[in-house]
C-alpha cells in the first residue's frame, strides 16, 4: 500500500485536516434506512450477500437517526408520513445527506393521488435522486457512490453557518 | 404550525387507548406509561404504528394506527383503465408481486368473461408459486431477524435473489414485474428459464433444511415464539384472518383448495395446518407452505402444455407488439384497447385468490366503460392486522415484536 | 345450485320476501336487502345452523353519484360449511347516510366499517370505535366519494416546511 511506504520512508504525511475528515466521513457513511414501502425490500437486497453494501463502508444500518449521517428515503411518502420523515431528519446530527430512492420519493412517481407527496424535495433537501421503481440495488449503490463523491469534496467551512434546527414538539 | 397540529392530531388514538381508565391530574397514569412504536421502527415491517399502554413490561392495551402508506389505490383505479392498473398491483404486496398480478387479471377476466389459454394459466401458476416462495423467504427472514437471528435474513435473501433472477429473465424486471396481461401473460417461458427454475428447486430443498437447523436448534428463538400470541380458532375466524395465520390456528382453509382457480385442482398438494395458533406455529406453516410450493412447481413443470400464451379475443386482449407494427387491424385494436379500455359488461364481481399473506380479493364494479366504476381491494394484511390488539394485550413488550413478525403484514397492501 | 336454493328459501322464510331481492350475475350470488332489515339478515346469516356465514370477508360501499341512489354498502360473507361466498347489498338513499353496524356480529367488520367511514363518510350506527382508518384525524373530506378530486384539495393536508 502507498500509505505504508510513505510512513516508513518519512514517518509523516502532509495533508489538510479538511481532506482527512472528508475522507473519513465518506468512507464510512452510516445510513438511516427510512424504509417505507417497496424500495425498502430492494434496500435490504442491497445489504444482502449478493450486492453487499459493506463494500462501500455503509453496512451499518442504524434505525436510530441520532447515529446516522445519510438518510435513504425508500418508498412512497404520504402526507401523513411526511411529518414523521421530517421529524426523523431533524433528529439526525449535522452534517447529513439525503438519498431520495425511487420514483415515488423523487417526484410522486406513478401515484398521482390525494395522499401522496409529489416529491420529498418539497420538505427535505435532497442530495441524490436514484431513478427506478424501485431502483435496482446496483442503482442504490451508484447513488451511494455519488454521495461519497459529494462528501469527499466537503470542507469544514461548508458547515460553518449551519443553524441548528428547532425541533417542534407537538403537545399532544 | 397551528394547522399541522390540527390535521395530524393523535387525540382520538389516546382516547381509545385510555378508554377504560379515568385519568386524573394528580395521578396521571399510576405506574403505567404510554409508548409509541413506529411508524419508523425496524420491526414493524414498514410503517405500522402501534401505541402501547404498559404496566411495567406488560402490555395493557395496544392501538394500531394505519394509513402512513395510504396511496389511494382505489381512487386511482377509478381513473385508469383495467390494463393500466396492472403495474399498480405489483406494489400492493410488494414481496409477492406476481401473485398480485395473477389475482388481478383473474378478477378482470372473471368480470369480462375472458379465458386465458391453458399454457398461460400454467405459467401463471408457476410464477405465482415462485412468488409465494419469494414472499415467504422475506417473511421468514425478517421474522427471524426481528427476534434476534440476523443470519437468517442473509440466507433467505440469498435464495430470494435467485428467484428474482428468474423473474428478471422471464418478465424483464426483477422486482416489479407487471408480467401478466388480461387474457394471458406477457412473455413465454423458454427452455433456459425452465432450466433456471429446475436448478433453483433442486438446490432449494437442502437450503430449507439448513435454515430450519439454524433457528430450530436455537433455544432463544424457540422460547421467544412458543406460546406467544396465541390466536384461537374462534377468534381467527371471527376476525377474518386468512392465509398462513388462519391455518396456524387450525382452520383448513385455502382458496386454492376451497375454490380452485387456474389449475390448482389438477395438482397435488397438502394444506399444512397447526393447531397451536402461536407464533411458532405461524413460522412452521410458512416453512411447510414453501415445501408444498416446491412440490406444486415440479408438477407444473411436468404438466405444462405447449401452445399460445395470449387469448384470441382481439376486442379485449392486447395484440402482440410485432403485429401492432406490421398490421393495420392490430394497430387499430391496440389503439382502441389502450385508449378506451376493454369495456366489460355492466355488473360487479368479486374474485379472490390465495396470496402468501392470505386471501387477496378484488371487488370490481363496472358500468360498461373502460375504467372501473369502483374497485375494492380486499387485502389480507389489513385483515390480519386486526388481530394485533387482541394478541398484544397481556403480552410482554418484547413479544409485540414477535407477534408482528409472525403475522407478517405488508403495509403496502394493508394501507392501499 | 343447491346452495343458492337453500339460501333463498331460508332467507325468504326468516326475513320476509318483501324486504329482499336476489341477484345471480357474473358468477356471484347477492342479496339486496332493505336498510332496516340489514342487521336482522346479518344476524340470521351468521346464526342460522344451516348457513353459518361465520366470516365477514369484506365491507365496502359504492358511490353511485346519483341523487336517487347515492350509496350502496356491500358485504361479502363466507360460510365454511357451504364453502360459499355471499354478497349482501343495501342501498342508502336519503341523507344522512347511516346504516346499522354489523361489527357486533362479525368482529372483522370493525375495521372494514372504519375504512368505509373514512373513505365515504357513511356513518355506522352503534359501531364500537368509529374513527378514521387511513387519513389523518383532522382531515375533513371523504376521498372515495365521486365529487372528491383524485389530486385532493390543495392545502387540506399541510406539509412541514423545508429547512434552509
Amino acid at each position: 500500500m502507498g500509505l505504508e511506504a510513505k510512513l516508513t520512508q518519512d514517518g509523516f504525511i502532509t495533508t489538510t485536516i479538511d481532506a482527512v475528515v472528508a475522507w473519513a466521513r465518506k468512507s464510512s457513511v452510516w445510513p438511516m434506512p427510512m424504509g417505507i414501502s417497496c424500495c425498502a425490500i430492494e434496500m435490504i437486497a442491497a445489504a444482502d450477500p449478493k450486492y453487499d453494501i459493506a463494500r462501500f463502508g455503509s453496512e451499518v444500518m442504524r434505525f436510530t437517526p441520532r447515529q446516522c449521517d445519510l438518510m435513504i428515503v425508500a418508498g412512497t411518502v404520504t402526507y401523513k408520513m411526511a411529518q414523521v420523515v421530517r421529524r426523523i431528519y431533524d433528529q439526525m446530527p449535522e452534517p447529513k445527506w439525503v438519498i431520495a430512492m425511487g420514483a415515488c420519493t423523487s417526484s410522486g412517481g406513478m401515484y398521482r393521488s390525494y395522499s401522496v407527496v409529489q416529491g420529498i424535495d418539497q420538505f427535505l433537501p435532497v442530495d441524490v435522486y436514484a431513478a427506478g421503481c424501485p431502483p435496482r440495488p446496483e442503482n442504490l449503490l451508484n447513488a451511494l457512490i455519488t454521495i461519497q463523491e459529494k462528501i469527499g469534496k466537503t470542507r469544514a467551512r461548508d458547515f460553518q453557518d449551519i443553524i441548528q434546527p428547532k425541533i417542534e414538539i407537538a403537545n399532544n | 404550525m397551528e394547522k399541522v397540529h390540527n390535521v395530524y392530531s393523535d387525540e382520538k388514538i389516546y382516547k381509545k387507548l385510555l378508554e377504560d381508565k379515568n385519568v386524573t391530574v394528580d395521578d396521571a397514569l399510576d405506574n403505567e406509561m404510554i409508548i409509541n412504536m413506529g411508524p419508523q421502527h425496524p420491526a414493524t415491517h414498514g410503517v405500522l404504528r402501534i401505541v402501547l399502554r404498559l404496566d411495567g413490561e406488560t402490555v395493557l392495551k395496544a392501538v394500531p394506527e394505519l394509513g402512513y402508506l395510504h396511496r389511494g389505490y382505489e381512487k386511482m383505479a377509478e381513473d385508469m383503465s383495467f390494463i393500466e392498473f396492472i403495474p399498480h398491483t405489483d406494489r400492493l404486496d410488494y414481496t409477492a408481486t406476481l401473485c398480485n398480478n395473477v389475482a388481478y387479471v383473474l378478477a378482470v377476466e372473471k368480470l369480462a368473461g375472458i379465458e386465458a389459454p391453458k399454457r398461460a394459466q400454467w405459467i401463471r401458476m408457476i410464477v405465482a408459486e415462485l412468488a409465494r416462495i419469494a414472499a415467504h423467504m422475506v417473511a421468514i427472514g425478517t421474522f427471524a431477524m426481528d427476534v434476534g437471528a440476523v443470519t437468517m435474513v442473509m440466507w433467505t435473501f440469498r435464495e430470494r435473489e435467485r428467484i428474482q433472477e428468474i423473474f428478471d429473465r422471464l418478465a424483464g424486471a426483477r422486482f416489479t414485474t407487471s408480467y401478466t396481461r388480461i387474457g394471458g401473460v406477457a412473455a413465454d417461458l423458454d427452455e433456459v428459464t425452465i432450466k433456471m427454475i429446475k436448478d433453483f428447486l433442486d438446490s432449494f430443498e437442502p437450503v430449507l433444511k439448513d435454515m430450519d437447523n439454524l433457528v430450530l436448534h436455537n433455544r432463544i428463538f424457540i422460547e421467544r415464539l412458543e406460546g406467544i400470541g396465541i390466536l384461537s380458532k374462534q377468534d381467527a375466524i371471527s376476525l377474518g384472518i386468512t392465509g398462513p395465520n388462519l391455518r396456524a390456528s387450525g382452520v383448513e382453509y385455502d382458496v386454492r383448495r376451497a375454490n380452485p382457480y387456474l389449475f390448482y385442482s389438477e395438482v397435488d398438494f397438502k394444506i399444512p395446518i397447526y393447531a397451536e395458533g402461536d407464533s411458532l406455529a405461524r413460522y412452521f406453516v410458512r416453512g411447510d407452505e414453501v415445501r408444498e410450493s416446491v412440490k406444486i412447481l415440479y408438477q407444473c413443470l411436468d404438466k405444462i402444455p405447449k401452445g399460445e400464451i395470449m387469448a384470441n379475443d382481439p376486442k379485449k386482449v392486447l395484440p402482440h407488439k410485432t403485429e401492432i407494427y406490421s398490421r393495420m387491424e392490430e394497430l387499430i385494436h391496440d389503439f382502441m384497447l389502450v385508449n378506451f379500455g376493454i369495456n366489460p359488461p355492466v355488473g360487479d364481481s368479486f374474485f379472490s385468490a390465495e396470496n402468501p399473506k392470505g386471501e387477496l380479493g378484488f371487488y370490481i364494479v363496472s358500468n360498461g366503460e373502460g375504467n372501473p366504476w369502483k374497485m375494492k381491494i380486499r387485502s389480507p394484511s389489513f385483515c390480519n392486522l386486526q388481530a394485533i390488539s387482541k394478541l398484544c394485550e397481556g403480552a410482554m413488550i418484547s413479544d409485540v415484536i414477535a407477534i408482528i413478525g409472525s403475522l407478517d403484514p405488508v403495509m403496502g397492501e394493508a394501507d392501499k | 345450485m343447491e346452495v343458492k336454493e337453500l339460501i333463498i328459501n331460508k332467507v325468504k322464510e326468516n326475513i320476509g320476501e318483501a324486504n329482499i331481492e336476489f341477484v345471480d350475475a357474473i358468477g356471484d350470488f347477492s342479496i339486496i336487502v332493505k336498510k332496516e332489515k340489514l342487521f336482522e339478515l346479518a344476524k340470521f346469516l351468521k346464526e342460522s345452523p344451516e348457513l353459518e356465514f361465520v366470516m365477514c370477508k369484506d365491507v365496502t360501499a359504492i358511490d353511485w353519484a346519483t341523487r336517487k341512489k347515492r350509496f350502496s354498502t356491500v358485504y361479502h360473507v363466507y360460510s365454511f360449511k357451504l364453502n360459499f361466498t355471499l354478497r349482501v347489498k343495501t342501498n342508502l338513499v336519503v341523507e344522512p347516510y347511516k346504516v346499522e353496524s354489523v361489527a357486533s356480529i362479525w368482529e372483522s367488520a370493525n375495521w372494514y366499517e372504519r375504512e368505509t367511514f373514512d373513505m365515504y363518510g357513511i356513518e355506522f350506527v352503534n359501531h364500537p370505535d368509529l374513527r378514521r382508518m387511513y387519513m389523518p384525524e383532522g382531515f375533513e373530506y371523504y376521498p372515495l366519494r365521486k365529487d372528491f378530486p383524485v389530486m385532493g384539495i390543495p392545502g387540506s393536508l399541510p406539509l412541514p416546511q423545508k429547512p434552509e
Side-chain angles (χ1 to χ4, degrees), chain C residues 11 20 38 40 67 77 89 94-95 107 119 135 144 149:
Chain C
V11 171
I20 36 176
L38 175 77
E40 201 183 324
R67 210 170 291 164
V77 289
K89 279 195 206 174
V94 281
E95 256 182 295
E107 240 180 310
M119 293 289 132
M135 301 306 288
L144 274 180

Side-chain angles (χ1 to χ4, degrees), chain B residues 83 181 185-187 309-310 317-328 330-335 338:
Chain B
I83 297 167
R181 296 286 179 272
V185 291
I309 53 160
M310 287 291 266
V317 177
L318 280 175
H320 195 265
K321 257 290 178 291
T322 51
E323 287 171 346
I324 298 169
Y325 292 135
S326 55
R327 291 190 207 168
M328 193 66 203
E330 267 76 11
L331 181 65
I332 294 168
H333 278 138
D334 185 71
F335 180 80
V338 169

Side-chain angles (χ1 to χ4, degrees), chain A residues 80 83 86 113-114 121-122, chain C residues 134 150 158-162:
Chain A
K80 202 172 174 183
Q83 318 293 327
R86 176 60 206 280
S113 79
Y114 55 89
D121 43 11
Q122 288 178 33
Chain C
Y134 293 139
V150 185
L159 273 176
Q161 266 181 359
K162 192 169 177 170

Side-chain angles (χ1 to χ4, degrees), chain B residues 197-328:
Chain B
I197 298 174
K198 276 195 175 137
D199 286 349
F200 166 71
L201 292 179
D202 290 341
S203 64
F204 185 54
E205 203 69 75
V207 177
L208 267 177
K209 207 167 280 169
D210 279 355
M211 286 177 190
D212 271 354
N213 282 340
L214 182 66
V215 289
L216 295 182
H217 292 163
N218 184 340
R219 258 179 60 197
I220 301 172
F221 185 79
I222 302 286
E223 273 169 24
R224 281 200 71 175
L225 302 183
E226 203 172 9
I228 300 300
I230 294 176
L231 186 65
S232 71
K233 197 170 170 175
Q234 223 62 42
D235 283 348
I237 290 173
S238 76
L239 282 167
I241 313 281
T242 47
N245 300 332
L246 180 67
R247 292 190 280 275
S249 292
V251 184
E252 191 176 359
Y253 174 66
D254 188 318
V255 187
R256 292 175 291 176
R257 182 63 56 78
N259 218 337
Y261 51 100
L262 297 173
F263 288 108
Y264 278 113
S265 50
E266 289 184 23
V267 290
D268 168 47
F269 64 100
K270 279 202 299 257
I271 304 174
I273 316 176
Y274 285 82
E276 290 86 352
D278 58 354
S279 300
L280 193 61
R282 291 193 273 273
Y283 169 82
F284 280 132
V285 165
R286 293 205 170 82
D288 287 1
E289 236 171 59
V290 167
R291 291 190 177 87
E292 292 303 316
S293 289
V294 171
K295 237 162 76 184
I296 296 174
L297 277 167
Y298 274 124
Q299 293 174 51
C300 289
L301 290 174
D302 283 344
K303 289 187 179 176
I304 183 165
K306 292 253 174 313
E308 287 291 308
I309 53 160
M310 287 291 266
N312 186 14
D313 189 349
K315 296 282 179 208
K316 282 173 182 162
V317 177
L318 280 175
H320 195 265
K321 257 290 178 291
T322 51
E323 287 171 346
I324 298 169
Y325 292 135
S326 55
R327 291 190 207 168
M328 193 66 203

Side-chain angles (χ1 to χ4, degrees), chain A:
Chain A
M1 290 294 287
L3 196 62
E4 275 82 6
K6 261 220 155 101
L7 284 173
T8 44
Q9 209 177 358
D10 310 326
F12 65 89
I13 305 165
T14 30
T15 179
T16 57
I17 293 291
D18 262 353
V20 173
V21 169
W23 167 80
R25 266 185 186 146
K26 83 168 195 185
S27 317
S28 68
V29 182
W30 284 20
M32 154 79 218
M34 188 78 217
I36 301 172
S37 64
C38 331
C39 292
I41 303 288
E42 287 297 68
M43 191 167 59
I44 303 174
D48 79 359
K50 189 172 171 192
Y51 295 99
D52 197 10
I53 206 168
R55 292 178 292 162
F56 305 95
S58 293
E59 77 277 20
V60 199
M61 295 225 178
R62 284 284 174 268
F63 284 88
T64 158
R66 292 190 178 79
Q67 300 173 351
C68 301
D69 34 25
L70 166 70
M71 179 151 85
I72 305 176
V73 185
T76 321
V77 180
T78 60
Y79 285 97
K80 202 172 174 183
M81 193 65 198
Q83 318 293 327
V84 182
V85 176
R86 176 60 206 280
R87 188 183 280 193
I88 286 169
Y89 176 79
D90 286 347
Q91 288 173 355
M92 283 165 59
E94 294 279 358
K96 53 195 170 187
W97 292 269
V98 176
I99 290 181
M101 180 182 179
C104 313
T105 333
S106 311
S107 68
M110 58 204 283
Y111 299 103
R112 284 194 65 75
S113 79
Y114 55 89
S115 57
V116 176
V117 181
Q118 305 293 310
I120 59 161
D121 43 11
Q122 288 178 33
F123 64 93
L124 278 186
V126 180
D127 294 287
V128 174
Y129 299 87
C133 187
R136 294 178 70 102
E138 292 98 321
N139 201 2
L140 178 63
L141 296 180
N142 183 32
L144 185 67
I145 294 166
T146 318
I147 281 270
Q148 287 181 345
E149 277 166 18
K150 188 170 176 173
I151 297 173
K153 285 179 196 147
T154 54
R155 294 291 172 262
R157 61 173 176 276
D158 300 342
F159 306 113
Q160 260 172 9
D161 18 282
I162 283 175
I163 310 154
Q164 285 301 320
K166 268 205 306 206
I167 301 171
E168 292 190 35
I169 297 157
N171 5 306
N172 44 27

